[in-house]
Amino acid sequence: MLTLGINGVKKIKVLIFGSNGLVGKSIVRKMSEEDYFDVIPSNRDSLDLFDFIETSKFISKLRPDVVINAAAKVGGIMANNIDRFDFIMENLKINMNILESLKPYPETKVINLGSSCIYPLNIENPINESSIMDGKLESTNSPYAMAKLTAIEIGDAMSKQFGHKILNLMPTNLYGPGDNFNPTSSHVIPGMIYKFHEAKNQKITEVNLWGDGTPLREFLYVDDLSEAIIFLLKENKEDYLINIGSSEEISIKELSSIIKNITKFEGSVNFDDSKPNGIMRKYLDSSLITSYGWKPATSLNKGLEKTYKWFLDNFEYIRS
């Protein structure tokens, strides 16, 4: 039975893998606000993506018009560097099972979500899409990056051999409501928010952060990525690879100052330069998507305020 939208037009059936994650939740929420899409969320409770047969049957039964792959094992610099085997193996299994299950359905459009960490360590900034696989990866997260690069290569092979339409989106560092705030496995923004908040509550006078604070980073509020995906689907763009960034960068030290103010932490911030900085600068060239008419709507300050509000509203759940 067809699902009809405005004026009786058939809705686009969109299957979203990883619907309980930071990105997946945002995509489900933003797409559900539109009458253009019939949204089908999928998470670990409904499907084991490590099981190829189960994944294949799931896709065969639903036959979606669009598949968005937002499923991944993700983490910050510490988790990536320590759990290296888990990061490459789990992400490889997820991506391989989804893509191989889609092999019989070249009419299904695929949006594969990657990461800016796929780009080489010493590549010129801002980083253009043409820089993919043009140098050595940054060492602390190379297993995760290799899994993401493999997914892109598999998708490219499917497109060339079987005619699939696969759009690989490379967002910059994402943050927002629903993020992972675990201090040992989170990315930089949720990790800082948790540390500053806990230090304030426990009356600790200082917070220690990894590195020397000088690396430059670009951040994108997660709902802006979701809006970019909706935009690209409506515009029916079929590029191979598109960067999605905010086109603004900030040092880790400056970022810590903003988060310190938002959380109202009054102590000192110490940077431990015995710990790795990671890549010193990672700034995406987002001129392709902006040339199509899209741009992010959320400033860093506003996004951080929204994220901290969500953190406060869900603090008891986060700590449990």
Side-chain angles (χ1 to χ4, degrees):
M1 183 175 179
L2 295 179
T3 304
L4 301 181
I6 295 173
N7 299 322
V9 177
K10 179 181 178 291
K11 287 187 176 184
I12 296 175
K13 186 189 289 188
V14 183
L15 172 58
I16 302 169
F17 289 120
S19 63
N20 271 355
L22 168 66
V23 176
K25 282 183 179 178
S26 174
I27 297 170
V28 170
R29 184 176 68 253
K30 299 303 290 185
M31 280 195 162
S32 296
E33 294 172 358
E34 307 247 351
D35 198 57
Y36 194 76
F37 303 106
D38 177 18
V39 179
I40 305 170
S42 174
N43 53 56
R44 292 178 184 177
D45 295 330
S46 62
L47 176 65
D48 179 8
L49 287 172
F50 294 148
D51 187 323
F52 169 72
I53 294 174
E54 187 179 338
T55 304
S56 182
K57 287 180 178 178
F58 189 82
I59 289 173
S60 177
K61 181 180 178 180
L62 288 173
R63 295 294 296 272
D65 301 304
V66 176
V67 167
I68 299 177
N69 181 15
K73 178 179 177 63
V74 297
I77 186 172
M78 184 187 299
N80 272 278
N81 199 32
I82 294 172
D83 300 326
R84 301 176 70 84
F85 180 84
D86 295 338
F87 271 88
I88 189 167
M89 292 303 294
E90 291 188 24
N91 284 296
L92 278 174
K93 288 176 182 178
I94 290 168
N95 295 330
M96 289 172 66
N97 286 340
I98 289 173
L99 290 168
E100 188 174 0
S101 295
L102 287 164
K103 178 186 171 185
Y105 311 113
E107 70 280 3
T108 299
K109 184 165 187 174
V110 182
I111 293 182
N112 179 51
L113 292 170
S115 166
S116 58
C117 72
I118 67 160
Y119 290 116
L121 173 63
N122 295 315
I123 206 70
E124 182 179 352
N125 284 263
I127 305 168
N128 187 268
E129 289 90 348
S130 62
S131 298
I132 185 172
M133 292 193 286
D134 201 26
K136 185 178 180 180
L137 297 169
E138 199 278 319
S139 62
T140 58
N141 62 8
S142 57
Y144 176 76
M146 283 299 299
K148 289 297 184 181
L149 284 166
T150 302
I152 294 170
E153 190 69 12
I154 293 171
D156 185 55
M158 289 173 63
S159 297
K160 290 175 178 174
Q161 189 169 349
F162 306 115
H164 290 72
K165 295 179 180 178
I166 299 178
L167 172 57
N168 298 287
L169 301 183
M170 298 302 117
T172 191
N173 302 289
L174 298 168
Y175 71 99
D179 212 336
N180 169 25
F181 290 88
N182 186 305
T184 61
S185 62
S186 61
H187 288 112
V188 59
I189 284 178
M192 280 191 192
I193 287 175
Y194 189 94
K195 281 188 174 184
F196 284 125
H197 180 81
E198 282 290 84
K200 180 185 70 173
N201 280 359
Q202 296 178 23
K203 302 188 186 311
I204 297 171
T205 59
E206 62 181 27
V207 164
N208 296 311
L209 301 175
W210 276 35
D212 62 13
T214 60
L216 296 171
R217 291 291 182 269
E218 178 187 23
F219 297 97
L220 183 72
Y221 188 63
V222 67
D223 283 0
D224 285 339
L225 171 61
S226 298
E227 293 288 0
I229 292 169
I230 292 170
F231 172 86
L232 290 167
L233 282 173
K234 288 183 174 180
E235 294 293 317
N236 198 30
K237 298 301 181 183
E238 296 182 356
D239 300 77
Y240 160 65
L241 187 70
I242 301 180
N243 288 339
I244 304 181
S246 63
S247 298
E248 296 180 0
E249 59 183 341
I250 185 172
S251 73
I252 297 300
K253 187 171 289 187
E254 291 172 312
L255 175 68
S256 70
S257 179
I258 295 173
I259 294 177
K260 176 183 175 181
N261 290 334
I262 288 174
T263 58
K264 296 182 170 56
F265 172 67
E266 296 180 353
S268 61
V269 181
N270 300 322
F271 286 89
D272 182 357
D273 59 11
S274 70
K275 303 295 185 182
N277 276 317
I279 194 168
M280 290 305 295
R281 188 185 184 205
K282 189 165 57 176
Y283 179 50
L284 295 182
D285 176 359
S286 300
S287 58
L288 178 56
I289 190 169
T290 58
S291 73
Y292 292 150
W294 175 86
K295 63 179 181 179
T298 311
S299 69
L300 181 59
N301 277 70
K302 189 65 177 176
L304 290 173
E305 288 171 1
K306 289 181 178 181
T307 303
Y308 187 51
K309 182 181 184 305
W310 184 92
F311 173 87
L312 293 175
D313 292 341
N314 294 273
F315 185 63
E316 293 306 317
Y317 169 74
I318 292 167
R319 291 195 69 181
S320 63

